[in-house]
Amino acid sequence: MARESFDKEIQFLRMLSLAGGAYSRQQFADRLGISVHTYDKTLRNLKGMVTVLQQDLPTEQGTELSEWLRYNYYESADPLLLFLFRAKSLKETESIRLTLLLTALQTQELTAKDLQDVCSEQMPTDCPMPDEKTIRGDLKYLEEVGVILRVNEGRPYRYKAANDLIDQLSGDQLLDLYDYVDVIANTQTPSVQGYLLRDTLKKVLRKRGYNPEATETHRYKYNYHSRILDEAHLYTIFAAIQQRKKIKFLYLSPKKGKNYASQNTNPLFERETRGVTETVLPLRVIYDHQYGRWYLIGHNSRMGIMKFRMEGLTQIEEGDTVEESEFAQKLSNLEEQMTNSWVIDTTRAIKMVARFYNPNRSGVNFIRERVEAQGQWGVITEESDSTFLYEITVNGIYEIKPWLRSFGSSCEVLEPPWLRKQFIAEWKEIHSYYESI
C-alpha cells in the first residue's frame, strides 16, 4: 500500500480517463484548481513513472501513457491508476533496496548480514548504504506481506523468496490461475491486490515462454474501472475504523466542479480552497455497484451521520481515538437508520410494489433471475404465468428508482401511486422524443 498521498495524481488521472481530450490544458488546470505549470509538471511526472516501471520490459511490451487513456470496449488490461500504487508506494531508496533483497533471495537462503553485504556491493553509489537494523526492518516487512519466508528457527535467521506455490504449478496450471485472477480482479472490489497478483503471474508466465495476452479465452468488461481510483483511501479508512480513530480531510464535493485543492504552504500565494474541512468518526464504507462509487459513512459531533463520496476526499489525516463503547453506540444507531437503505439513503421508509413481466420467449427467465440476485430483501410473489410481484420497504425511492427504470417495459410500478405517476410522466417524455417528424 502506498505510504505517500497522491491526491493530485488521482484526480488528474480521473479527469484524463473520463474526459479524455475533451478539455484543453487550461480547462484541465481550472477544473483541478491548479496552474497550467503544475498541470504540465504532473503530466511529466506521470510519464516518468511509466518509463521507470517499464524499464525492464522489452520495447514491444511497454505502454505509453496515451495507450492507457485510449478507450477499448473490451479492455481488461492494467487499469490506468494501478501504476501509481507501484510507483509511489515506496521511497526511491527503499524501492532499490527491496528489489536487491528480493532478487538475492530468489535463488538462495541468506541471513540479514549476507543481505547487507549484497546491498553494499550492488547499491548505486549515490544511495546511502543500509545498516543491519535497516535490513532487518525490511525483512520483517517483507515477511509480514508474505513475499519471503524464514527457513530456520534459530539465529541467525535465514530467509528465502516465497515462491513455492508458483514453482509447483505447471504452465497450464499457471495459465488457469492467471485467467481466474484476471476475472476476479476486474469484477470484485477491492481490486488493487488482485491486479498486483495478476501482474506477478504475467511476469512468471513470460519467463516460462508463455504470452498471457495471446491465450485469453474470454472477453468481458466492467463499466467502472475508475473505482480503483478511490481504493487508495480504503486502507487508511479501514485502519481508522479498526482502531476507532477519527479522521480529518478536505472534502471537495463532486457537485462543485473542483477536483483538487493544493495544500497552501506559501502565504504569499495562498488561494482560497473551495473544499470543506471535515472531522468524522468513520463507521462504514459502502460500494455502489450500479454507479461504481465508494461512499464513506461517518459521525460528526455537530451534524450527526454524514455521507461522503470517496472521490471527493483529499488530505486525509488520522485524529483522536474514541472509546469502544462510543464507537459501538454510533455504529448501532447508523445500522438502525440504514436497515431499509437500498444503498446509503436514511430518509423515511416507503413501501414499494412493482409488477415484473417474464420474457415471452422460452428459455432462461433473466428478468426473474436478475430480480432475485439484485432485489436485496424484497419479497417475490407469483401473480400469473407471465408476471410476478416484487414488494420492498426501502428508505426513499431515489436510489432504487434507477434500478427499476433499467428493466424498461419488463417492470410496472404499482405502489406508491405518486411514484407510478412519476414513471408514467417519464416514459411519456421519452416517447415524445421518438414521435414521427
Side-chain angles (χ1 to χ4, degrees), residues 255 288 290-291 293 295 309 342-345 347-348 350 394-405 418-419 422-423:
K255 298 178 182 178
D288 180 4
Q290 188 156 5
Y291 290 108
R293 294 172 181 164
Y295 292 93
R309 287 256 293 273
W342 185 256
V343 183
I344 62 169
D345 204 342
T347 55
R348 69 183 181 88
I350 297 172
V394 65
N395 289 344
I397 53 87
Y398 179 77
E399 294 174 340
I400 195 176
K401 192 175 178 182
W403 181 73
L404 295 170
R405 191 188 292 118
W418 55 267
L419 180 59
Q422 281 187 18
F423 270 82

Side-chain angles (χ1 to χ4, degrees), residues 94-147:
E94 289 178 321
S95 180
I96 295 172
R97 193 171 66 245
L98 293 182
T99 300
L100 291 176
L101 298 182
L102 290 172
T103 302
L105 292 172
Q106 293 295 320
T107 56
Q108 51 189 326
E109 300 173 1
L110 298 172
T111 65
K113 184 64 176 175
D114 296 331
L115 290 166
Q116 184 183 4
D117 294 339
V118 170
C119 290
S120 298
E121 294 172 2
Q122 301 183 29
M123 286 282 282
T125 55
D126 57 342
C127 291
M129 292 298 115
D131 56 23
E132 189 172 345
K133 181 180 178 181
T134 302
I135 297 296
R136 292 190 185 280
D138 291 339
L139 292 173
K140 181 180 179 182
Y141 166 68
L142 293 173
E143 189 177 10
E144 285 176 351
V145 298
V147 296

